[in-house]
Amino acid sequence: MLSAVRALEQLLLPAECLVCHGLLAVAHADDLVCPVCRLRWRAVRPPWCERCGQPEPHFGPCRLCREWPEALRSVRSGVWLDGGARSAVHALKYGGLPRIARDMASALSRIIARPPSGARLVPIPLGSARLKRRGYNQSEVLARAIGGCWELAVLPQLLVRTRDTPTQTALTPAARLANVAGAFQLRIGECGLGIGRHPGSRSAIPNPQSPIVLVDDVFTTGATIAEAARALGAAGFTSITAVTFGRASIPDFT
Ligand SMILES: [Zn+2]
Ligand SMILES: [Zn+2]
């Protein structure tokens, strides 16, 4: 019955792909991006720096991740941020279409290897002003969708952003680092106790041995992820990785 209603709805209000505006088949009516456009999302593939997932430099060690905190083991991205992938991120962030996170998560979860069971997904938090304006944190919506695909728990409350940082667009890599310095900390538990000091706390602070997977929509220089990992590392977490849906090709700032 439900499918008959859906088919009728599809007939009256045919859904179209957000990227190419082609009509979506009934089987894909719940998606926002059609299968053809999804296939055009260009997966990020090796050879890459084993740690940051950036294509290997032609010579010498990778400069992108050399300043990262030790606890941050590796970062992987699903697709290159061009064409339709950029439209998807735009829809998620500015288009008021958090539902698109499902399309993005299903693509990402097929490209990136699933983290071990027991890993917790931790979205990069937004500052309070931006959260209020947008109404949702796009990284949290994405993390929840990825958690559904990989069957991993999401801890949206573990990290807080202590201040609203200006948008990173148009900043050089060095300016990006300075921009996010000290921007994250662990949320203090319900009884005012920090991590590891209150095992009975009902607040969802995991054991520092648990693998943590940070989730963000886009990776540009990694400054934000590195800073979030620094806050987790300072709290005793030793196994931190990160996944992002998109990876921007880094502009040449020199
Ligand atoms: Zn399409
Ligand atoms: Zn690297």
Side-chain angles (χ1 to χ4, degrees):
M1 182 61 197
L2 195 67
S3 61
V5 170
R6 186 153 292 166
L8 183 65
E9 191 182 80
Q10 175 74 0
L11 200 67
L12 299 172
L13 291 167
E16 60 174 45
C17 166
L18 188 98
V19 178
C20 69
H21 303 291
L23 290 186
L24 288 165
V26 175
H28 299 286
D30 286 342
D31 299 338
L32 290 180
V33 179
C34 77
V36 178
C37 285
R38 279 200 211 187
L39 278 177
R40 286 201 190 118
W41 287 345
R42 215 157 44 88
V44 180
R45 299 273 182 219
W48 50 32
C49 164
E50 277 304 322
R51 192 176 186 208
C52 65
Q54 193 71 3
E56 292 271 24
H58 291 302
F59 46 85
C62 178
R63 285 163 52 198
L64 190 62
C65 59
R66 67 179 173 190
E67 310 278 336
W68 285 7
E70 206 184 313
L72 181 54
R73 308 280 179 84
S74 75
V75 181
R76 292 291 179 266
S77 305
V79 301
W80 288 106
L81 193 67
D82 51 20
R86 189 181 292 276
S87 310
V89 170
H90 207 267
L92 174 69
K93 257 172 126 157
Y94 310 111
L97 281 172
R99 202 155 62 83
I100 200 169
R102 261 196 345 214
D103 301 56
M104 297 159 82
S106 99
L108 176 151
S109 63
R110 266 177 260 146
I111 295 168
I112 300 177
R114 182 186 183 276
S117 303
R120 321 292 183 99
L121 304 180
V122 175
I124 296 289
L126 276 187
S128 54
R130 203 161 286 160
L131 181 61
K132 210 167 169 186
R133 218 167 31 240
R134 194 166 293 162
Y136 59 90
N137 172 5
Q138 76 278 359
S139 300
E140 180 179 340
V141 175
L142 185 61
R144 288 189 188 285
I146 296 170
C149 296
W150 277 339
E151 297 180 335
L152 293 177
V154 182
L155 300 178
Q157 307 291 333
L158 185 62
L159 278 178
V160 276
R161 201 160 188 136
T162 53
R163 55 190 170 81
D164 274 290
T165 49
T167 175
Q168 302 262 72
T169 326
L171 291 181
T172 63
R176 281 172 178 260
L177 271 177
N179 191 32
V180 292
F184 301 100
Q185 65 182 38
L186 256 67
R187 195 180 291 273
I188 303 299
E190 288 165 352
C191 303
L193 295 172
I195 184 152
R197 291 187 217 151
H198 195 239
S201 168
R202 288 191 300 122
S203 59
I205 292 183
N207 183 312
Q209 256 82 62
S210 326
I212 296 291
V213 183
L214 291 164
V215 178
D216 208 357
D217 50 352
V218 171
F219 176 101
T220 304
T221 62
T224 305
I225 285 171
E227 196 55 37
R230 199 162 282 127
L232 288 165
F237 288 91
T238 53
S239 173
I240 306 164
T241 58
V243 296
T244 72
F245 167 73
R247 179 163 297 227
S249 40
I250 300 176
D252 188 1
F253 287 103
T254 54

